[in-house]
Amino acid sequence: MKVEVTSQALTEVAVDVLILPLTEGAPAPTDVNEALGGLCAQVVGADFKGEMGQTTLLYTGGRLPARKVLLLGLGKAEKVTNRSLRRAAGIGARAARKSGARSIAFALPGAVEMDEAAAARFITEGALHGLFRLPDWKSEKKPRPEVEAVHILGGERAREGAEHGRIVAEGVNLARALAWTPGNHLTAAKLAERAAEMCRENGIEVEVYDKKGCEELGLGLLLAVNQGSREEPRFIVMRYKGNGGQGPWLGLVGKGLTFDSGGISIKPTEGMWNMKMDMGGAAAVIGAMQAIARLKVKADVMAVIPSTDNMPDGGSYKPGDVVSGLSGKTVEIRSTDAEGRLILADGLAYAAKQGCRKIITASTLTGACNIALGPIRYALVANDDAWEEEVYRAGEAAGERGWKLPHDEEYYDLIKSSVADMINGTKNRAAGTVAGGLFLMKHVGDTPCVHLDIAAVAWKSGSDEYEDEGATGVGTRTFVEAARRFAEGLR
Ligand code: BES
Ligand code: MN
Ligand code: ZN
């Protein structure tokens, strides 16, 4: 998708739909209103109230170079946030597309407390998310109208913001497409190919370990989960050297479970299809690495993705088994459905042993996360308050929201085992999301580490006026912003 910033006036830009974002009570721009013979003034405050997400389409009848004008509501000025502006832009872009537009232009909103770069950034993100088509495997391809160019009316600061927004949005959309892809089309081997392809295109070094390679590395927990599968596991390591490769390294670790049946502790049929998205954390890591490289972030960033599916079979690992992996810690298996923390433990131990200074990990780890926070905020669990706060703020700044869960010592009792160093479940299902997160912390030694449990926010059911249903790519933006801030901290 082309995104262009132009200094043309509203009354000059020749596009199919000119989109005017307006807060509640704000008048339409005078020049447009005058060109349309006072039409905007009649509609604004009458049919069009400026409520968040409201759209009203006006035909210009040749009185402007733009064929139509779309009034787009932003809600109350003081309530506009990076997220609401992004959402509004997606709604506007989709409404324009629905009306047959091939080219659209956004005016920047007045009357909101956001600088030009930020406004252009979040409008661009929203437009590119709203217009994105997830891949499908239908045998008949119906021709669909597509917007080919998005213009933003603004100056130099808007240009920087729009460029940033485009790169981030492309990373998020890549993550969405990957997490949406069926498990048989995206096995661990194929996920590794896709990651490697992205790395080649963006100047990132990549190593992919196959089953034998995993054995040589000592990834016993990833291999235990893989035991019941016909598909080989992969362990993917990407290195982006934005600071010359001498470190310090930021580690990003993502759960790459290409399909989670639960294994021997098999899940109920209903909703199991959806577990093709259990590599949403890995997808966010891949999308973020692409964006980090394209933004030329001045930090060294290492990304680690353990990948396999989780299947029942005569050879599967079983409840009661005791297994261990790269960290050397032993784990008593209580549920083969708590597989994510196992493969991540190997990924995290690898990142820590490679000397990463700080680590962030994202995964669709626990259903309990949906009980605790619902599909609104992801959960953060950490071993270091300061690093957790930094990641939390990076998420907010990038338009993703999290919530910090506790990590008091007593919570570690939830994962105590009488035969091994820990269990992979939680006693009495208490504090499931905290237990899952603290399990991970047991494998990073002293390295500051923050875990994002994106289980409830990685998927949205049903398309709406903003975005299509399916994988959301959440996590990607937090990773990118945290990497930018990590880079700033080095200077
Ligand atoms: N992939 C699931 C978690 C999940 C659930 C993600 C729903 C997205 C939507 C994970 O592997 C899992 O099965 N977790 C178990 C852990 C339990 C056995 C301790 C869960 O949440 O039930
Ligand atoms: Mn599971
Ligand atoms: Zn899982």
Side-chain angles (χ1 to χ4, degrees), residues 20 34 86 124 140 181 235 238 256 263 271 344 363-364 384 395-396 441:
L20 303 179
E34 276 170 14
R86 179 167 75 206
T124 304
E140 261 176 67
T181 301
F235 191 71
M238 306 173 236
L344 280 173
S363 51
T364 45
D384 182 281
E396 291 270 323
M441 301 308 146

Side-chain angles (χ1 to χ4, degrees), residues 255 260 278 339:
K255 172 178 173 182
D260 182 13
D278 210 15
E339 82 300 332

Side-chain angles (χ1 to χ4, degrees), residues 11 20 28-41 60 63-64:
T11 48
L20 303 179
T30 352
D31 47 356
V32 175
N33 185 47
E34 276 170 14
L36 295 182
L39 181 60
C40 294
T60 61
R63 289 178 290 184
L64 278 177

Side-chain angles (χ1 to χ4, degrees), residues 215-490:
E215 286 163 3
E216 283 163 9
L217 281 178
L219 307 179
L221 297 174
L222 172 60
L223 288 162
V225 174
N226 180 252
Q227 250 171 244
S229 176
R230 299 275 177 94
E231 298 289 341
E232 275 209 9
R234 289 290 184 270
F235 191 71
I236 311 163
V237 182
M238 306 173 236
R239 289 184 179 83
Y240 165 71
K241 298 180 173 171
N243 195 34
Q246 83 272 21
W249 290 86
L250 170 65
L252 305 180
V253 182
K255 172 178 173 182
L257 222 293
T258 56
F259 180 72
D260 182 13
S261 72
I264 296 298
S265 316
I266 198 161
K267 289 181 182 294
T269 309
E270 198 195 333
M272 196 203 276
W273 64 274
N274 182 263
M275 283 298 121
K276 66 176 184 176
M277 60 68 125
D278 210 15
M279 29 60 69
V285 167
I286 295 169
M289 288 301 274
Q290 172 178 289
I292 287 166
R294 291 186 182 175
L295 288 169
K296 301 191 170 63
V297 173
K298 290 190 171 57
D300 293 330
V301 186
M302 182 182 309
V304 181
I305 295 174
S307 183
T308 177
D309 52 6
N310 182 25
M311 300 293 277
D313 176 83
S316 291
Y317 78 132
K318 310 174 293 298
D321 284 0
V322 172
V323 291
S324 73
L326 193 58
S327 72
K329 298 257 167 67
T330 58
V331 181
E332 178 191 357
I333 303 303
R334 285 293 175 89
S335 167
T336 64
D337 199 12
E339 82 300 332
R341 64 199 72 184
L342 298 171
I343 71 169
L344 280 173
D346 273 346
L348 289 165
Y350 183 88
K353 287 187 185 218
Q354 289 284 306
C356 286
R357 179 169 289 182
K358 285 173 181 165
I359 299 176
I360 316 173
T361 175
S363 51
T364 45
L365 204 71
T366 64
C369 201
N370 190 44
I371 308 295
L373 299 174
I376 319 290
R377 290 177 181 262
Y378 55 69
L380 292 90
V381 181
N383 61 1
D384 182 281
D385 291 327
W387 179 228
E388 185 179 35
E389 178 67 17
E390 276 185 59
V391 176
Y392 172 82
R393 292 221 181 130
E396 291 270 323
E400 290 186 346
R401 290 174 300 174
W403 199 253
K404 294 185 268 178
L405 297 187
H407 53 257
D408 305 82
E409 273 307 310
E410 291 95 319
Y411 281 106
Y412 282 95
D413 293 346
L414 295 171
I415 54 171
K416 268 195 182 150
S417 165
S418 41
V419 295
D421 296 335
M422 66 198 87
I423 60 169
N424 79 330
T426 175
K427 287 178 187 146
N428 315 318
R429 304 173 70 207
T433 302
V434 175
L438 294 184
F439 179 99
L440 301 178
M441 301 308 146
K442 289 270 210 184
H443 301 268
V444 293
D446 295 330
T447 313
C449 180
V450 178
H451 150 67
L452 314 179
D453 194 332
I454 58 170
V457 295
W459 191 267
K460 92 180 220 187
S461 30
S463 302
D464 59 17
E465 67 279 21
Y466 165 51
E467 238 185 7
D468 283 339
E469 69 166 329
T472 61
V474 170
T476 310
R477 305 178 188 95
T478 303
F479 280 144
V480 175
E481 188 56 31
R484 276 165 32 94
R485 291 170 178 219
F486 183 81
E488 273 166 29
L490 303 175

